[in-house]
Amino acid sequence: MKTQDSFNSEEVAHLASQLCEGVLDAAGVARLEFALRNSPGARRLFLEYLAIHGELYWQSSEELLKANLWHLPQPSVRRESLTTGYYLRKSAVWLGLATAVLLVGWGLWRGGFAHLLGWRSGGTTIPQGQSTNNSPLRLAETGGSTSVAWVEEVAGAEWELVNLVECSPDDSGNSDHPGESAFAQLRAIPLPGRRACRLETGSIRMRFASGVRMAVEGPAELVPLAGSCVALNKGTAFVQVPVGKPHFVVETPFARIIDRGTSFGVHVADEWTEIHCLEGKVEIAISVPDPSASGEGALPSAFLAKSVLMSGRCLAAEDLPGCADDGGRNIPSTCESVAIVNWNQPEKRKTSLLADDEAVKNLILSAGQALRIEHRDGKLNVLAAKFRLDPWPSLDGPVCVARFRQAVRNDPRLRHHFPFEGWSSSERRLDRRGGLHLAEVVMFGGSGGGAVDYQERGLDSSTRAVRFYRGVRSGNTQGVALQTLGDFEPPRALTVELLLRMDPPAERDPQATCVAVGTRASADQCSFWVVADGEGRLLHLFDANSQWLESGIRLLFGQWYYVAVTVATVPEGVKVNVYCGPLDGSEARLQRLVAETLVPGSLAKGPLGVGKGFQANLAHAYPWPGAIDELAIYEGVLEEETLQAHYRLLLERYW
Amino acid sequence: MQEPPIGNETPNGSPESRDLGNKVERFAKLLASVQRKLFLYILSLIHQPVDAEDILQETNLVLWRKFDEFDPQTDFLRWACKVAYYEVLKFRSRRSKSEGLLSEEVLEVLAHDAGELLGQAERRREALAYCLQKLREPLRRLVLARYAPDATIQSAAHAVGKTVEAARRALHRARMFLLECIRRRLAADSLG
């Protein structure tokens, strides 16, 4: 029997080599085990050999040859294509990639999916030199509970992804660029198959084992089912299937979407699903609700996804009845009952189909066509439409709220922060900094049938806004807005910063009063920081018995603006600065409209109205006709440079 | 005028996402700092890179699940290696014995020694980069071909115009050269 140090190093190395190449037979394993069990020297040699094998595999030898390792920081760059892992990087490259995701998501909505060209060949959304090839991906198809997809990039500071692959923004504060750390780049986060993921806010970009890329915008709930299949129970996604790849399937609660060499967008809401075909063709198999399935006539929203999960596999396109090449129907040639309508006025031509026409369950959309499936009360209505494919490039104002949000959070003076993000409406009303949470309030006279819309589109894919309701009934203004549950206690100096959009007030009264943010302590004491009249003129009021302070700017209806108001208490009243800049127009510039102007008044303590104000008797009044996002209140007067920096973050362009 | 009541809908969530974000950030940074070493550790026990990657993924998930149990005063890599070791055993139990896997007894001693070797991982990697430059051109081309993304021994052999068996032998020679070179390099470094 050999002793500990008498091993044949050549033989051990040779056996290790065979082991690495997967050609070691049982006799070889036995010999190797004997040496490893009895000789520390053999173990050392074996491990050193394996370490070389591993290092070369982990980072391709070519990279090792090129690398100037003496200056390389940890962690190392992982090899491309074959490997997975977590990596945090804060380089501009990854920032650009994250931005591309944002732009993709932004385009999903703003252009009716038509702008989503960031991954198209020839598209230039991803900045030069920042190709997706930088991402290490393992593309092999795997089964069982192993990874079937990988998250490549993450954008947005608020997102959470349940399923043990949670990511957060890197807000370590090391960045020289305010807000840059809003983007966490966790490279190739594995998503195990058949486990649900919830994306609270923000955007992620992922790649499936089949090579298919998908951008998902929160809030969303998805379940990667296989390398070529995903269930999207809720949310917005854009899918791009590379040429030559097998069919990719997106399961939604009421439709199975099968690509036919295409790119498409899909949005799944509680009561409707919408699919836009951008390139090629996409086949849609509509699922008719089965009243017996739930016993109540209406299916739970995730029913089909769950049934797919239970079945344990994802059906291939050819497995689907009616999904073969000749099984689907092209719109409109073979489906006369599907209305092709002007997308801007779909309600005029809506047609109820499925109750009496089973044959149209399978439809084929071509580029520029969209399908909306409405599911209410156990019935489906299907609406087909054409939409306009805008020529590329057509994005004229990409913005990045996630970066702005991060800069806001990083400011130690921040006291209250309302990003209006979250899965539920109550989450969207949370004060993320100060605990001064919001509740809905209804104006005097009732809601008039309106409600606060928490799904309102923000400036980009990393954000949602809230839209308040302002309507007229019997000549009286009615509305629904938000107000803090407790009193807002103003410091002696503060800054109110927000993004807002004003829509035309229903009453069309130039004298209308529309309050975006304000408090009121009494009939005399009020702080209406951001107000507009019926024509959009920006106003401010700090003493109910004084004149309005006019900013001298008129907000264009339907356009997003950045507005900041600073107020400092002085013995004679308050000193006010007002800044305003458009966010989606071509003349983007933050102007200081009011500079150190002394006006009568004070900072009033009282409930904080968001999207509303208060009458003299403190009744809810003056609802804001439009949307507000990212409301932040700071203690102290923020410097103009800081506000300009925040504004610039919202205007970043990436190409 | 009578003031209408405020809607009684009360926010029922809690802003815990910040805590979660901090936790995730800490975890991600720790994980990022040990991924390569963790992979090397797993590979030393399981030998096949693709299998090692699968185990690494599973290990990452388990680490996250158990992250609350991790004592920040202790060594994250050591903790991660323990988790990885059990994942290797789980993986091994799912595979048949005919697949060239080493016995559990051997794995145990290898795991101990492999953990010690990880302490040199960074220096060894730097030495490897140096030694690759010293490799003769034909062997270097073979190594490049073998460890290119998605490559196999067959594709590498084809790329350099050798038979598969000849490529295996040459690759073994290349690795042995690198192994000796790294040893010399590390020894020279230790001498100052």
Side-chain angles (χ1 to χ4, degrees), chain A residues 19 21 33 43 48-49 53 55 65 69 74 79 82-83 86 138 147 160 164 426 432 615, chain B residues 1-2 12 17-18 31 36 48 53-54 57 65 103 113 122 129 133 147 149-150 172 175 183:
Chain A
L19 195 65
E21 298 303 333
E33 283 196 334
R43 289 199 293 275
E48 287 180 1
Y49 196 97
H53 181 47
E55 285 283 13
L65 279 167
L69 285 171
Q74 279 271 50
R79 65 174 296 181
L82 284 176
T83 56
Y86 279 85
R138 180 164 171 229
S147 303
E160 295 171 17
L164 305 178
S426 56
R432 303 285 176 168
Q615 288 184 343
Chain B
M1 279 196 296
Q2 186 182 1
N12 54 13
S17 57
R18 202 179 309 146
L31 195 65
R36 183 171 61 86
Q48 291 304 317
E53 283 184 342
D54 285 344
Q57 290 174 23
R65 266 185 227 126
S103 70
D113 291 5
E122 203 49 43
Q133 310 279 359
Y147 290 100
D150 296 323
H172 175 54
R175 290 191 194 118
R183 283 180 170 178

Side-chain angles (χ1 to χ4, degrees), chain A residues 426-465:
Chain A
S426 56
E427 283 181 50
R428 288 165 193 263
R429 294 194 297 262
L430 293 177
D431 175 5
R432 303 285 176 168
R433 180 58 63 97
L436 196 58
H437 307 311
L438 296 164
E440 281 190 15
V441 292
V442 179
M443 306 298 139
F444 179 76
S447 68
V452 175
D453 181 0
Y454 297 93
Q455 297 290 334
E456 181 69 8
R457 190 67 189 159
L459 276 165
D460 62 28
S461 67
S462 70
T463 187
R464 295 278 171 178

Side-chain angles (χ1 to χ4, degrees), chain A residues 13-14 17 19-23 29 32-33 36-37 43-62 64-65 69-70 72 74-76 78-88 138 145 147 150 160 164-168 170-172 186 190 192 195 425-426 429-430 432-433 437-444 483 485 615 617-620, chain B residues 1-7 9-15 17-18 20-22 24-25 27-29 31-33 35-37 39-40 43-44 47-50 53-54 56-58 60-61 64-65 100-103 105-106 109-110 113-114 117 120-122 124-130 132-133 140 143-144 146-151 153 168 171-172 175-176 178-179 182-183 185:
Chain A
H14 183 68
S17 170
L19 195 65
C20 289
E21 298 303 333
V23 293
V29 170
L32 183 61
E33 283 196 334
L36 295 177
R37 191 181 296 121
R43 289 199 293 275
R44 179 81 183 186
L45 173 65
F46 176 81
L47 290 171
E48 287 180 1
Y49 196 97
L50 266 290
I52 292 170
H53 181 47
E55 285 283 13
L56 289 169
Y57 183 85
W58 178 267
Q59 183 170 334
S60 74
S61 48
E62 188 169 19
L64 272 171
L65 279 167
L69 285 171
W70 321 117
L72 264 186
Q74 279 271 50
S76 66
R78 187 102 191 247
R79 65 174 296 181
E80 295 183 4
S81 293
L82 284 176
T83 56
T84 59
Y86 279 85
Y87 279 97
L88 278 171
R138 180 164 171 229
S145 62
S147 303
W150 289 267
E160 295 171 17
L164 305 178
V165 287
E166 299 177 59
C167 305
S168 76
D170 171 20
D171 52 4
S172 58
L186 302 178
R195 285 155 76 171
S425 57
S426 56
R429 294 194 297 262
L430 293 177
R432 303 285 176 168
R433 180 58 63 97
H437 307 311
L438 296 164
E440 281 190 15
V441 292
V442 179
M443 306 298 139
F444 179 76
Q483 178 175 304
L485 293 165
Q615 288 184 343
N617 62 356
L618 304 187
H620 312 304
Chain B
M1 279 196 296
Q2 186 182 1
E3 186 176 352
I6 292 178
E9 193 179 357
T10 304
N12 54 13
S14 62
S17 57
R18 202 179 309 146
L20 178 61
N22 290 336
V24 170
E25 184 194 353
F27 177 74
K29 284 181 176 173
L31 195 65
S33 68
Q35 281 290 276
R36 183 171 61 86
K37 290 176 181 174
F39 173 79
L40 293 176
L43 186 77
S44 67
H47 325 308
Q48 291 304 317
V50 173
E53 283 184 342
D54 285 344
L56 178 64
Q57 290 174 23
E58 292 301 317
N60 288 343
L61 297 178
W64 170 245
R65 266 185 227 126
L101 297 173
L102 300 175
S103 70
E105 180 195 353
V106 172
V109 289
L110 274 180
D113 291 5
L117 198 65
Q120 293 184 328
E122 203 49 43
R124 298 185 66 81
R125 178 167 166 268
E126 292 173 356
L128 174 61
Y130 169 83
L132 273 171
Q133 310 279 359
R140 190 162 60 186
V143 169
L144 286 172
R146 175 63 183 91
Y147 290 100
D150 296 323
I153 187 67
R168 275 202 192 104
L171 196 59
H172 175 54
R175 290 191 194 118
M176 287 306 291
L178 293 171
L179 191 149
I182 290 169
R183 283 180 170 178
R185 184 84 186 168

Side-chain angles (χ1 to χ4, degrees), chain A residues 531-560:
Chain A
V531 184
D533 68 11
E535 294 184 326
R537 279 183 284 268
L538 195 58
L539 307 169
H540 318 274
L541 189 68
F542 299 93
D543 177 358
N545 300 313
S546 298
Q547 295 292 313
W548 290 94
L549 173 61
E550 296 191 26
S551 289
I553 191 172
R554 187 172 161 182
L555 304 176
L556 298 178
F557 294 144
Q559 179 160 315
W560 280 96

Side-chain angles (χ1 to χ4, degrees), chain A residues 281 284 328-335 338-340 362-366 369-371 382-386:
Chain A
K281 290 180 183 292
I284 299 162
R329 293 196 172 195
N330 289 290
I331 296 176
S333 60
T334 57
C335 292
V338 177
I340 302 300
N362 299 313
L363 303 169
I364 294 176
L365 294 184
S366 300
Q369 292 183 331
L371 198 72
V382 178
L383 178 69
K386 288 179 180 176

Side-chain angles (χ1 to χ4, degrees), chain A residues 198-235:
Chain A
R198 275 163 56 107
L199 181 64
E200 302 290 342
T201 63
S203 307
I204 60 171
R205 176 168 135 175
M206 54 198 296
R207 185 192 289 255
F208 285 81
S210 59
V212 171
R213 290 170 174 166
M214 187 163 97
V216 183
E217 177 187 327
E221 186 176 298
L222 66 151
V223 186
L225 294 168
S228 59
C229 183
V230 63
L232 182 68
N233 295 336
K234 188 175 182 181

Side-chain angles (χ1 to χ4, degrees), chain A residues 214 216-217 219-225 230-239 249-255 257 266-268 273 301 305:
Chain A
M214 187 163 97
V216 183
E217 177 187 327
E221 186 176 298
L222 66 151
V223 186
L225 294 168
V230 63
L232 182 68
N233 295 336
K234 188 175 182 181
T236 304
F238 166 68
V239 178
V249 178
V250 177
E251 296 277 1
T252 70
F254 289 90
I257 305 158
V266 54
H267 179 85
V268 181
T273 300
S301 63

